[in-house]
Amino acid sequence: MEFRTDYPEDYRAGFACFVGRPNTGKSTLTNALVGEKVAITSAKPQTTRHTIRGIVHKEDHQLILVDTPGLHKPRTLLGSRLNDLVASTLSEVDVIGFCLPADEPIGPGDRYIASQLELLDGRTPVVALVTKTDRVSQDKVAEALLAAGALADFADVVPVSAVDGFQVDTVDSVLAEHLPVSPPLYPEGELSDEPEEKMIAELVREAALEGVRDELPHSLAVQVEEMYPREGRSEDNPLWNVHVNLFVERSSQKAIIIGRGGSRLKEIGSESRRGIEALLGTKVYLDLHVKIAKDWQRDPKQLGRLGFDFS
């Protein structure tokens, strides 16, 4: 991939960060803006654990989206480290999008985040994004916009639905207004700077989170052990071997992931394989193993081994 050389003099490029309570539509909006699936989405809270960057390429700007975990009051060492990750990200971006779902009233969690954003003292502009407008009536959207506007002194308040595409382009334009004049920061056509291994792990984790009990998302970590091309395959018919470990904290959780007779694990493999093959552009042999890492969310050493070393 090559960098653009024909960009206009007033071309803008920079970073935007989405914050909000867990499950307020941050990852879904990232994917809608980029046009490809680069961030894991799930109905379960605390889905995103890594800073995922999606890159939006337009004629007059390049918007690099930083999707963070949802800010929350932590109950574990992992939760504390995730909050630290959000705080460090806020200090490094050009504009912040605060996601507030239209189908839920402003709550203590939203007010907590607003108080954290006030600590920035206006150094970084904050745009309120009233998400999930497709779930409520126009009157409810209007109420949500008024409630968002009363929460803080935002640079702008924009309603959006990532599901049906309502105002997605407007969100892009509003965020781009706050970017500095700059040449492109990433090559044309590049959609994310995440390593393939991390994106594969997120695809597997997303598939594993579908239809499971509420306590499992917090206890599930996924790591790619190794991946390599299968020897003896022709260039016209390549095959990649991908070996992935799924870590849970208890044997009961392992049983949930595996399912009766391995049925659940087979579903996870089938679902995630489609996304992995689309990502790699080749057929994949996916080998999944479920392992127990007792109380890994509270163990600094295990957090480090599983990729959550934010020091």
Side-chain angles (χ1 to χ4, degrees):
M1 295 184 182
E2 297 182 354
F3 282 89
R4 279 188 63 179
T5 57
D6 60 342
Y7 56 87
E9 288 186 6
D10 59 350
Y11 190 90
R12 295 176 179 270
F15 295 84
C17 174
F18 291 154
V19 298
R21 288 182 288 108
N23 196 29
T24 53
K26 300 182 298 295
S27 296
T28 306
L29 184 55
T30 295
N31 292 333
L33 285 163
V34 176
E36 296 284 348
K37 188 170 186 174
V38 294
I40 179 176
T41 60
S42 171
K44 301 296 182 182
Q46 274 311 112
T47 298
T48 304
R49 284 185 176 160
H50 295 282
T51 301
I52 306 293
R53 288 179 172 84
I55 305 166
V56 181
H57 300 271
K58 293 296 176 69
E59 281 301 309
D60 60 349
H61 69 268
Q62 185 180 81
L63 178 67
I64 299 106
L65 298 166
V66 182
D67 183 33
T68 66
L71 270 170
H72 62 293
K73 292 186 177 180
R75 294 178 295 177
T76 64
L77 179 59
L78 173 62
S80 296
R81 290 190 175 179
L82 292 176
N83 274 4
D84 291 343
L85 174 63
V86 177
S88 65
T89 301
L90 294 181
S91 65
E92 299 171 353
V93 299
D94 301 296
V95 59
I96 297 167
F98 184 4
C99 293
L100 298 157
D103 61 342
E104 298 178 31
I106 300 292
D110 301 308
R111 286 187 282 272
Y112 168 75
I113 295 170
S115 68
Q116 298 300 300
L117 294 176
E118 285 182 5
L119 299 178
L120 297 171
D121 292 328
R123 294 189 303 274
T124 306
V126 180
V127 176
L129 303 174
V130 177
T131 59
K132 304 185 180 183
T133 58
D134 57 289
R135 296 188 178 187
V136 297
S137 66
Q138 289 186 346
D139 288 344
K140 289 292 185 181
V141 171
E143 291 177 12
L145 291 172
L146 290 173
L151 183 61
D153 184 18
F154 295 115
D156 210 333
V157 181
V158 183
V160 61
S161 170
V163 172
D164 61 17
F166 172 67
Q167 295 247 111
V168 171
D169 286 340
T170 301
V171 170
D172 172 61
S173 298
V174 169
L175 295 177
E177 290 174 1
H178 299 285
L179 303 181
V181 174
S182 166
L185 302 175
Y186 285 87
E188 184 77 8
E190 191 164 315
L191 300 180
S192 175
D193 69 352
E194 286 298 297
E196 288 179 340
E197 289 88 346
K198 187 179 291 186
M199 297 182 72
I200 288 171
E202 290 292 274
L203 287 168
V204 173
R205 187 163 174 266
E206 179 180 34
L209 289 179
E210 291 303 316
V212 298
R213 298 177 186 175
D214 290 340
E215 78 273 11
L216 189 54
H218 306 281
S219 305
L220 177 65
V222 180
Q223 194 171 55
V224 175
E225 183 177 16
E226 58 179 346
M227 51 184 289
Y228 52 90
R230 178 78 61 88
E231 292 184 3
R233 304 282 294 205
S234 67
E235 292 185 4
D236 296 332
N237 188 29
L239 177 72
W240 274 74
N241 294 321
V242 180
H243 299 272
V244 178
N245 293 324
L246 294 83
F247 293 94
V248 292
E249 294 186 307
R250 300 188 298 275
S251 57
S252 59
Q253 295 168 340
K254 182 176 180 179
I256 292 172
I257 291 291
I258 293 175
R260 186 182 297 273
S263 59
R264 178 77 187 122
L265 191 61
K266 185 176 180 180
E267 290 176 6
I268 294 169
S270 298
E271 177 65 26
S272 57
R273 186 184 298 109
R274 286 193 287 270
I276 295 169
E277 289 181 341
L279 174 66
L280 298 180
T282 182
K283 291 291 185 181
V284 166
Y285 169 75
L286 181 60
D287 182 36
L288 302 178
H289 288 276
V290 186
K291 300 184 177 182
I292 297 174
K294 188 176 180 180
D295 294 329
W296 66 263
Q297 293 185 87
R298 295 170 174 82
D299 183 338
K301 290 184 178 179
Q302 292 199 86
L303 280 172
R305 284 197 293 270
L306 294 175
F308 299 106
D309 184 5
F310 303 129
S311 58

